Amino acid sequence: MLAAHFGIAIRDDDALPALRLEVAQDEQGIPRVVIAGDEREYGKPLHVDFVAGRADHRRRFGGGRNQLIARACGLNRGVLPSIVDATAGLGRDAFVLASLGSPVLMIERVAATAAILVDGLTRAQGCADDEIREIALRMQALQGDASRDLGELVALWDQPPQVVHLDPMYPHRDKSALVKKEMRLFRALAGDDADAPALLDSALEVATHRVVVKRPRKAEPIGGIAPSHVVEEKTSRYDVYVKQALR
């Protein structure tokens, strides 16, 4: 059903591509959709899990509204803005924002990544844990190109896009040893975000209150557009473009 929805070809021959969608079972025997490839190159099959693992640990011990992303999006001020995560990936940032109370629309360009994102979200929305289920029900996922169709995608949501969050792919490093296997997989699927300036332009047009952009701490602002202010830590920062105050 996911393959049909996202237009992904189903193969039953021996000529498997380097990366592929598969249905695998977790430790409890529950089926989940994964992106799999050569583990020596890409690591273990990639899946989305909002119920356990990294997402659950960050929800409980990540620092709440004092986290960098929460401060950049304005949640530390006591408001709960509606947030569009226009570069959703595996939904990790979106889950943090939803766990703090904000409704979040996730938009993912790559069809295979959107497929595992929807699979993980569906399982979280039907899980037995009341708290996680409530968080997941504040989240929605759509597949599409936010740099080109952000306005149309946001129009499908039932919330105003007060904040748009962007986390474009970091600049490519030539030394492959410095690139984590998971990041190699993402680059193989999506390449570098060469259209980041167009994505920022779209976000600035659609967001009603602010756009927040994650960047390496010493990188130039996207497109040379200076932000209203910056929220930073040792290795990364958020460029915050304010259109009006969140209240």
Side-chain angles (χ1 to χ4, degrees), residues 55-246:
D56 182 55
H57 186 272
R58 189 174 175 188
R59 175 177 67 89
R60 292 187 291 143
F61 306 112
R65 296 192 177 198
N66 288 321
Q67 294 176 75
L68 194 69
I69 188 173
R71 289 188 280 131
C73 290
L75 275 75
N76 62 319
R77 298 170 180 248
V79 296
L80 295 174
S82 52
I83 301 173
V84 177
D85 186 347
T87 52
L90 300 180
R92 291 167 181 163
D93 288 332
F95 185 75
V96 169
L97 295 167
S99 72
L100 298 174
S102 280
V104 183
L105 172 64
M106 300 179 289
I107 299 174
E108 172 51 40
R109 174 167 52 184
V110 177
T113 309
I116 65 171
L117 183 62
V118 169
D119 175 66
L121 182 60
T122 301
R123 284 185 282 107
Q125 290 175 340
C127 78
D129 187 304
D130 291 341
E131 185 175 354
I132 293 175
R133 187 171 65 252
E134 182 178 340
I135 294 168
L137 288 171
R138 286 196 285 271
M139 302 166 68
Q140 183 176 339
L142 294 174
Q143 191 265 328
D145 188 341
S147 67
R148 186 188 62 209
D149 302 321
L150 184 57
E152 289 82 353
L153 292 163
V154 169
L156 299 173
W157 199 30
D158 61 357
Q159 300 281 342
Q162 291 179 288
V163 177
V164 176
H165 168 264
L166 305 175
D167 184 5
M169 196 79 73
Y170 278 21
H172 179 67
R173 301 185 197 176
D174 292 331
K175 296 181 179 179
S176 60
L178 297 178
V179 181
K180 292 182 179 179
K181 290 181 178 180
E182 182 180 286
M183 188 56 65
R184 291 182 203 167
L185 187 151
F186 276 119
R187 287 197 188 280
L189 288 170
D192 292 322
D193 284 329
D195 59 353
L199 180 59
L200 176 58
D201 288 344
S202 296
L204 288 169
E205 184 175 341
V206 167
T208 60
H209 287 68
R210 68 171 60 183
V211 175
V212 296
V213 185
K214 189 175 183 180
R215 300 290 289 156
R217 191 172 65 85
K218 296 184 179 181
E220 291 293 320
I222 290 179
I225 302 175
S228 306
H229 66 269
V230 173
V231 182
E232 66 179 359
E233 56 186 11
K234 290 183 179 180
T235 60
S236 61
R237 73 169 197 265
Y238 271 101
D239 292 344
V240 182
Y241 300 85
V242 177
K243 298 179 71 174
Q244 61 175 307
L246 288 164

